[in-house]
Amino acid sequence: MTAAPAPSPAPGAPPTRAERIGDAALDLLVERGMRGLTHRAVDERAGLPQGSTSNHARTRQALLETAVRRQVEREAGVLAPDELPAPDAGPEVLADALALALHRYLTDHRALLVSRYELALEATRRPELRSFFDSAGAVFHGPAIAMMRAAGSTAPERHALSLIAWCEGLMFSCAAGSFHAAVPSRAELRTGFDELLRGMLGGPPRRD
């Protein structure tokens, strides 16, 4: 089973039934937690006839996979990897682009972080979901490794792991941790990315 996100609909196109179900599932996870995610509740939240979610995802595992798939689709839209500059543009330009994407996520899409953590925790208790969750998340790993390799990293896989872990740690701290009340500014995020990338790739410190 592939976990790759489905192609994005044309701009302005109404959401598909699968997208409505996925969005409703993510909303419920944010508002009610895992216990509040039921087929009936998704039907009600999505405004669909009773039984629609069961027809789309008959088992709870299938419903969770639908939620994970939609999570990945929406995260790809927020982080917009196609907005990143060419990796050889240099650490300063990469830091600017990464800071923009992360700041957009932290300020405008914080609920999406909560649904991610709900799904991640559930995956620790469901081996079958763990496999699907990891496969889905891997769509971000390959581009990160490729970016670090093209930027001149001598250890692209290790550096990509460090970059992703730094971002995920910051996101958790700002969404659910001790820094939830104070989201870093874009400039602060840019400085953090700049320090991290220059530590990996070398180069003189940035001077603003």
Side-chain angles (χ1 to χ4, degrees), residues 91-144:
E92 185 172 321
V93 177
L94 281 177
D96 282 337
L98 290 169
L100 172 62
L102 188 55
H103 188 259
R104 180 167 56 211
Y105 202 156
L106 290 173
T107 54
D108 299 332
H109 303 275
R110 296 179 75 175
L112 200 55
L113 288 170
V114 177
S115 59
R116 176 206 278 202
Y117 300 138
E118 288 284 350
L119 290 166
L121 288 172
E122 186 67 6
T124 66
R125 297 181 284 267
R126 288 176 174 263
E128 66 278 15
L129 182 62
R130 175 85 273 166
S131 176
F132 189 85
F133 186 90
D134 290 348
S135 177
V139 302
F140 298 106
H141 297 171

Side-chain angles (χ1 to χ4, degrees), residues 177-197:
S178 56
F179 289 92
H180 67 91
V183 175
S185 67
R186 182 178 167 186
E188 290 171 327
L189 291 172
R190 184 188 62 199
T191 298
F193 275 118
D194 187 66
E195 292 168 344
L196 187 63
L197 290 170

Side-chain angles (χ1 to χ4, degrees), residues 71-73 75-77 79 81 116 136-145 164:
Q71 178 82 25
V72 172
E73 291 170 357
E75 285 190 351
L79 297 175
R116 176 206 278 202
V139 302
F140 298 106
H141 297 171
I145 294 171
I164 291 171

Side-chain angles (χ1 to χ4, degrees), residues 51-100:
S52 298
T53 301
S54 293
N55 287 335
H56 176 78
R58 292 194 176 278
T59 65
R60 184 163 183 79
Q61 172 67 17
L63 179 56
L64 288 169
E65 290 179 1
T66 296
V68 170
R69 190 179 292 110
R70 187 60 175 151
Q71 178 82 25
V72 172
E73 291 170 357
R74 289 178 57 179
E75 285 190 351
V78 173
L79 297 175
D82 57 316
E83 293 181 355
L84 288 176
D88 59 2
E92 185 172 321
V93 177
L94 281 177
D96 282 337
L98 290 169
L100 172 62

Side-chain angles (χ1 to χ4, degrees), residues 143-179:
I145 294 171
M147 181 183 72
M148 297 308 298
R149 180 179 292 113
S153 167
T154 58
E157 293 188 4
R158 177 166 56 82
H159 286 161
L161 171 62
S162 295
L163 181 65
I164 291 171
W166 186 84
C167 291
E168 290 187 340
L170 189 64
M171 289 189 292
F172 181 84
S173 293
C174 292
S178 56
F179 289 92

